[in-house]
Amino acid sequence: MTPEFILGLGLILLGTMSVAWPSPKDYLTRLINLEIPAFGLLLVMLSFDEMLALLTFIAVTTVSTFIFVRVIGKREAIN
């Protein structure tokens, strides 16, 4: 196991917990905390292949940001 793989798994676990239970419970904090597991996934994929890591990081970041912005927009429309 490479150090990138172990560090990536740790970031995925810590980032997932920080998204699930954020300290201030607002959407901006969750959106920022969502980048932590995405970076952990980048490190895990980096231990396999650089191109796979880059494409996975771009895809995860784009999709998760798009989904969170839509959720924030719908919640703001309700209030």
Side-chain angles (χ1 to χ4, degrees):
M1 293 184 137
T2 62
E4 295 93 10
F5 186 77
I6 295 170
L7 184 63
L9 289 179
L11 282 175
I12 289 173
L13 290 174
L14 290 174
T16 303
M17 290 175 25
S18 68
V19 171
W21 297 288
S23 183
K25 295 187 182 277
D26 60 346
Y27 290 110
L28 183 61
T29 304
R30 288 188 182 200
L31 182 62
I32 292 170
N33 287 342
L34 196 59
E35 296 301 318
I36 297 170
F39 192 72
L41 184 62
L42 171 72
L43 288 177
V44 168
M45 293 299 155
L46 187 62
S47 66
F48 296 112
D49 186 21
E50 288 85 11
M51 183 57 74
L52 180 65
L54 182 63
L55 292 176
T56 304
F57 181 70
I58 291 170
V60 167
T61 303
T62 304
V63 170
S64 63
T65 303
F66 177 72
I67 290 172
F68 244 63
V69 167
R70 294 224 9 161
V71 167
I72 291 170
K74 287 187 184 248
R75 294 293 268 174
E76 291 297 322
I78 291 174
N79 294 333

